[in-house]
Structures are given as structure tokens and as C-alpha cells.
Amino acid sequence: MLDSLAHALRRHPGRPAVLGTTRTGAVRTKATYGELADLADRYTAALHARGIARGGTVGVAVRPGPRALAVMLAVHRLGAGAA
């Protein structure tokens, strides 16, 4: 499932990926597919540079939102597990 999501992010970079609301209740885009894909790419490179590889485990402490999803995608790409 995460592989399908990663491919969809690149195919439709302008689509809203993570939505939130303003104080008035209006819906706003927190991140587009393209922004999420770019963020996941950066996290993948950073984790790889720190030695995270297939079979490894990464402790994740990120508030819910675009960054959390991007970290999980990065960990998945590297073949590691998240705890």
C-alpha cells in the first residue's frame, strides 16, 4: 500500500495530500502530493546517511501531519521498521 501511495504522489504533485482546518473551520491544504514526496525524499536521504538500512529500526516521535507521513514513507523505502 505504501508503494502505491509513493507512486501516486509523483503522478499528481498538485493534489492536496494532507488537509487541516483553520480556526474558523475552513479546510486548508497542509501539504500537496508533490510536497509530501519531496519531504519523504529528504527524510530518506537523511536516514540513509545516518546508517539506516533494510532490517533496521527507527524510533519515530513526530506529531501527526505531513512530516509524520513523510518519515513513515522514508522508513518504508529503506526497508526499515518504525517504532
Side-chain angles (χ1 to χ4, degrees):
M1 184 168 101
L2 289 177
D3 291 327
S4 296
L5 174 60
H7 292 294
L9 294 176
R10 290 291 176 206
R11 278 194 308 259
H12 309 287
R15 286 188 181 173
V18 180
L19 301 176
T21 57
T22 65
R23 290 184 178 165
T24 63
V27 175
R28 71 178 182 96
T29 300
K30 289 187 171 186
T32 65
Y33 278 24
E35 292 166 340
L36 191 58
D38 292 342
L39 191 56
D41 290 345
R42 290 194 302 272
Y43 281 128
T44 300
L47 291 170
H48 179 73
R50 287 166 178 77
I52 303 301
R54 181 166 302 286
T57 302
V58 177
V60 178
V62 184
R63 289 185 179 180
R67 281 184 250 160
L69 183 53
V71 167
M72 298 304 286
L73 285 169
V75 170
H76 173 72
R77 285 181 188 170
L78 293 170

